[in-house]
Amino acid sequence: MAMKTFTLNILTLLLSLVIVGTSFAQQGYSKVYEKQWEALQSSSIINTFDDNLMIGGSYEGENLILKINPEGDIIWNKTFGSSNTYEPSLRIKKLLDSTYLSASTSYMSENQEYGISFVKMSENGDSIWTSLLTLTNYLSHFSIEQVYDSGYLISSGIYINESPPYSEMLIIKLDKFAQYEWAKSIDILNNTNAACSVVQTPDSNFIVSGYAYNSNEYLTELILLKISIEGDFIWSKTYSYPNTNWDRTKVVVLDNSLLLLGGTNNHIFILKTTNDGEIIWSKKLNVYSENFFNYVNINAYILTDSELAILSPDNLIKIDSDGEIIWSTSFWMYTSDFTVLNNEFYVSGNGPLLGVKKVNIESPPQIGLCKLDSNGINNTDCIMGGDLNYELAEFDTDTLIINATDIVFSKSMFPMEVSSKSFSVSDKCVDFIGGLSRLDDSKITIYPNPNYGNFEIATSQGMGILKIQIFNTSGQLVYDQTNNGESNMQIKITENLHGIFLLKVFSENSTLCKKLIIN
């Protein structure tokens, strides 16, 4: 009997260790990567073939890649080429031969030209080859995908004029050494045109998503194009929604359909279409999604046959195949990209956040990383969960005439020096600059948060509320209300406020700050 009891106790202990180990593995964290007095920013993140992660971005005018393990520790880092530190464009792609490609845009001041530089590298970060594509103008919304012939397809918007049309869609096909094969410059509407994402379809053709703006009719269109491997147009679809200006799009190929994502400053639109672009259903997520920098784009990750994850600036959203929201999480940083590893979510972003009080101290940019479990949970103060809502959205569809021009770019293989630096990593959130000093915001409770402008504020330890102020991300005071010193306060905002805000709660002896989201 004693032996049986002993065995049962051992089994119970082992089971407890497994549960604790599983729980620990699911714990989220928040990390900051920085270097004193110097600037780091992220623009992309991927999971690697050996179950680690790579963050791409910039460091002091150079491209930067950090390889880290799932715990966030740095394995190695590489810096090379030139990059815009405050708007890094570096994208990292896993290739068919189990290597990696980094691609980034840059301005070459010595000959006053723009270019896209490429570095193919091994798992250890060793350079295999480098290539340069010389451009005539500046690119926006830069994206790159590898295709079935081991080459690459780039989609972008290229600025061409100082008067309308300001920009055109640009599609570039490269071979497996990132050398130019063909390119199309596409003019759809008369003001602004941009291609934001491209993906290859099972029939070896390509779907391109983007947007176009007609200044004569004040009309903005979401665009889907299907083109062949030779760059010939197969079909085009446009989608318009009243009073909406798009600033980024993403297209995802599902088993028997397409998913088109469109972003504005106030909403994320999701359109599920047939393989020919006909709408099956369309929804509008009521989520604030401010585009802080040009390099911030919508991204999506296919989790299972029936579930997807979507990242828009500030928000990670998990949906099912019908567009129903499973969960959502918002971030206290400027998000740039995300990936999934072992059913956990890794979201990269940038800081510091800009606060509401002018200060003379400049804090160099830093990279933030948030790890969330499979349910979107992270037990740090760098993120906050919240229920988003959606409504059905009716789009008008049309087919427009596509004007395409063949263009030629110069190409070259060129040497690029790759080096390593030292960076520190800490368990914390990206800094908040220009705000009041962060006191213990656990003394403030906002319910619900996110909300629709109707919520309750409660303070602990009997702290009376004398006044509250709400500021937007530009530091503008958008709401101000006094109180009689009680510890609870009901707020009902009648103004049309949507977005992420900073709430300041004033008491007799202190002022506390907390993040507030109004949908």
Side-chain angles (χ1 to χ4, degrees):
M1 182 70 180
M3 178 60 69
K4 182 177 180 180
T5 302
F6 176 78
T7 303
L8 182 61
N9 289 338
I10 291 296
L11 290 174
T12 302
L13 177 61
L14 291 174
L15 180 60
S16 300
L17 290 174
V18 169
I19 294 173
V20 170
T22 303
S23 176
F24 179 79
Q26 287 283 306
Q27 291 294 316
Y29 62 66
S30 294
K31 304 279 186 180
V32 167
Y33 303 88
E34 58 190 334
K35 192 175 181 67
Q36 189 174 18
W37 313 120
E38 297 179 347
L40 287 76
Q41 294 279 260
S42 69
S43 54
S44 62
I45 184 172
I46 64 167
N47 58 55
T48 62
F49 294 106
D50 60 355
D51 288 335
N52 289 298
L53 301 152
M54 286 185 189
I55 298 175
S58 67
Y59 162 69
E60 288 292 305
E62 294 183 275
N63 291 306
L64 168 69
I65 294 180
L66 296 173
K67 185 172 182 180
I68 62 175
N69 63 24
E71 290 72 43
D73 304 314
I74 297 175
I75 300 173
W76 53 254
N77 72 82
K78 303 291 181 181
T79 58
F80 52 90
S82 61
S83 172
N84 185 332
T85 298
Y86 290 91
E87 293 187 22
S89 61
L90 188 141
R91 303 284 183 259
I92 312 173
K93 294 296 176 182
K94 297 164 67 174
L95 303 184
L96 299 174
D97 60 358
S98 299
T99 59
Y100 304 88
L101 183 78
S102 74
S104 63
T105 60
S106 60
Y107 176 68
M108 296 166 286
S109 58
E110 61 275 7
N111 49 11
Q112 297 183 334
E113 289 181 323
Y114 296 92
I116 306 177
S117 59
F118 306 91
V119 179
K120 185 175 182 179
M121 62 181 59
S122 67
E123 194 75 69
N124 297 321
D126 298 325
S127 176
I128 299 172
W129 53 254
T130 62
S131 177
L132 175 68
L133 187 71
T134 302
L135 307 172
T136 54
N137 297 87
Y138 177 71
L139 297 183
S140 66
H141 295 289
F142 166 72
S143 69
I144 183 170
E145 296 293 336
Q146 189 176 36
V147 295
Y148 297 157
D149 66 358
S150 296
Y152 310 96
L153 207 66
I154 290 173
S155 61
S156 183
I158 184 167
Y159 294 103
I160 57 172
N161 295 311
E162 295 183 357
S163 59
Y166 297 105
S167 64
E168 295 181 346
M169 289 185 171
L170 178 64
I171 310 297
I172 307 173
K173 174 64 170 64
L174 307 173
D175 66 16
K176 64 180 181 179
F177 296 107
Q179 297 289 286
Y180 165 87
E181 288 190 348
W182 56 258
K184 302 283 184 179
S185 179
I186 306 164
D187 184 8
I188 298 178
L189 296 181
N190 69 4
N191 186 292
T192 302
N193 304 271
C196 299
S197 73
V198 62
V199 63
Q200 192 161 29
T201 54
D203 60 4
S204 297
N205 294 307
F206 305 110
I207 296 288
V208 179
S209 74
Y211 62 84
Y213 176 63
N214 187 336
S215 57
N216 295 338
E217 301 177 8
Y218 303 101
L219 175 68
T220 304
E221 304 271 8
L222 278 175
I223 307 293
L224 273 186
L225 305 175
K226 187 166 186 179
I227 61 176
S228 70
I229 189 70
E230 294 81 18
D232 300 320
F233 288 93
I234 300 174
W235 55 256
S236 66
K237 294 285 184 180
T238 68
Y239 311 87
S240 60
Y241 191 83
N243 303 315
T244 300
N245 290 320
W246 311 100
D247 53 29
R248 54 202 174 274
T249 72
K250 175 76 175 181
V251 63
V252 180
V253 174
L254 304 176
D255 285 342
N256 296 301
S257 59
L258 304 174
L259 201 70
L260 176 61
L261 309 174
T264 74
N265 276 355
N266 296 307
H267 306 287
I268 299 297
F269 291 81
I270 307 176
L271 292 77
K272 189 172 184 178
T273 76
T274 65
N275 288 327
D276 296 325
E278 298 295 330
I279 295 178
I280 300 173
W281 54 254
S282 53
K283 295 182 177 181
K284 178 175 71 172
L285 302 183
N286 295 314
V287 51
Y288 186 69
S289 180
E290 180 163 352
N291 190 4
F292 291 98
F293 300 103
N294 288 338
Y295 64 84
V296 179
N297 290 310
I298 288 178
N299 201 2
Y301 198 103
I302 299 175
L303 302 172
T304 66
D305 291 340
S306 59
E307 294 180 342
L308 295 95
I310 299 168
L311 183 74
S312 67
D314 297 329
N315 294 277
L316 182 64
I317 308 159
K318 186 176 181 180
I319 64 171
D320 65 17
S321 57
D322 294 320
E324 300 287 335
I325 299 172
I326 300 172
W327 53 254
S328 62
T329 299
S330 63
F331 297 85
W332 208 202
M333 67 178 178
Y334 306 138
T335 57
S336 57
D337 198 8
F338 83 109
T339 191
V340 181
L341 178 63
N342 298 325
N343 295 318
E344 296 175 316
F345 297 86
Y346 294 82
V347 180
S348 63
N350 300 310
L353 294 168
L354 302 178
V356 301
K357 187 176 71 173
K358 292 182 179 179
V359 294
N360 296 323
I361 301 173
E362 292 187 3
S363 178
Q366 54 194 207
I367 293 175
L369 177 68
C370 285
K371 174 186 173 183
L372 299 82
D373 69 14
S374 56
N375 295 311
I377 296 174
N378 171 301
N379 296 316
T380 73
D381 62 355
C382 305
I383 73 167
M384 60 187 303
D387 294 329
L388 300 180
N389 67 88
Y390 70 88
E391 56 189 271
L392 298 179
E394 295 292 332
F395 280 81
D396 293 327
T397 62
D398 199 357
T399 301
L400 295 181
I401 297 174
I402 304 299
N403 301 312
T405 303
D406 292 314
I407 54 177
V408 178
F409 295 106
S410 63
K411 55 188 177 181
S412 65
M413 307 297 286
F414 73 107
M416 182 180 296
E417 181 179 349
V418 178
S419 60
S420 299
K421 304 290 190 298
S422 60
F423 302 102
S424 63
V425 53
S426 308
D427 293 308
K428 62 179 183 179
C429 308
V430 295
D431 282 342
F432 189 97
I433 300 300
L436 297 176
S437 58
R438 274 193 169 186
L439 301 177
D440 184 8
D441 63 6
S442 62
K443 296 179 181 177
I444 310 172
T445 300
I446 302 173
Y447 182 81
N449 191 19
N451 57 70
Y452 298 100
N454 191 357
F455 57 95
E456 179 182 352
I457 304 171
T459 59
S460 63
Q461 301 176 357
M463 187 181 76
I465 304 173
L466 300 178
K467 182 174 70 171
I468 67 127
Q469 291 181 334
I470 299 174
F471 296 83
N472 63 20
T473 55
S474 299
Q476 298 172 317
L477 178 66
V478 296
Y479 187 83
D480 190 345
Q481 183 175 328
T482 58
N483 194 45
N484 57 9
E486 295 181 356
S487 59
N488 289 69
M489 189 173 180
Q490 293 286 339
I491 305 297
K492 187 173 183 179
I493 299 175
T494 57
E495 291 85 352
N496 186 25
L497 296 182
H498 300 282
I500 299 175
F501 301 90
L502 183 71
L503 171 71
K504 292 168 62 176
V505 178
F506 297 84
S507 70
E508 183 175 352
N509 299 315
S510 63
T511 302
L512 304 181
C513 301
K514 199 172 183 74
K515 182 182 180 182
L516 171 69
I517 298 180
I518 302 177
N519 289 325

